[in-house]
Amino acid sequence: MNLTVNQIRFLLAFLSLTIMGEDVASKNIARILGVTRPSVHGMLAQMIERGFIEKARNGRARLTEEGLSVAQALEARRDKLMLLFIRRDALPMDEALIAATSLMGVLREESLQALERQLDN
């Protein structure tokens, strides 16, 4: 999928806000991620270009079908890796979350799959 850690964090934050309501305002993403609104606007432009997000009529944004699918897959993988790090490495939940999200942005797909298989065993 070739997403950076920041893009992954953005999509996961966007997904969590989407679950709470239909359209998402950039100020809410900025608050969750602890970044500036201009940073969010730059990331929105990247996600729109990739076809993951579309602008709504009210100036807010929403996930496209593809974006929703990608974000849900990222969330499932993150949760699986978090569980692995909690069980195998006894990491606290907050550190397991950071580790899982970070690794998703830097490891090759094959390495991520190998980690996921550890949880299946």
Side-chain angles (χ1 to χ4, degrees):
M1 198 174 316
N2 276 344
L3 295 171
T4 67
V5 173
N6 287 334
Q7 290 170 331
I8 291 168
R9 288 182 65 230
F10 181 88
L11 284 172
L12 291 171
F14 207 99
L15 178 64
S16 69
L17 288 171
T18 299
I19 292 168
M20 296 168 35
E22 188 173 316
D23 298 335
V24 176
S26 61
K27 67 180 180 181
N28 295 333
I29 295 285
R31 184 177 35 81
I32 286 175
L33 295 177
V35 299
T36 64
R37 287 177 75 180
S39 295
V40 170
H41 288 287
M43 188 63 69
L44 269 173
Q46 291 176 31
M47 296 295 105
I48 289 169
E49 186 175 311
R50 290 188 80 147
F52 296 156
I53 291 176
E54 63 188 7
K55 285 282 193 173
R57 285 186 176 187
N58 59 8
R60 295 178 178 217
R62 67 173 67 114
L63 290 167
T64 62
E65 285 186 37
E66 180 183 7
L68 179 61
S69 176
V70 167
Q72 288 172 332
L74 289 169
E75 182 181 54
R77 172 169 269 172
R78 182 210 54 206
D79 291 350
K80 195 170 188 179
L81 291 172
M82 272 180 54
L83 186 57
L84 172 68
F85 298 143
I86 290 168
R87 286 184 182 172
R88 185 191 71 182
D89 303 318
L91 288 180
M93 184 178 271
D94 60 333
E95 291 180 19
L97 172 70
I98 292 167
T101 306
S102 298
L103 288 176
M104 288 168 53
V106 296
L107 293 181
R108 294 184 338 258
E109 180 64 24
E110 298 79 21
S111 299
L112 290 168
Q113 289 174 358
L115 283 171
E116 289 177 304
R117 282 192 298 275
Q118 289 183 29
L119 190 59
D120 294 336
N121 294 333

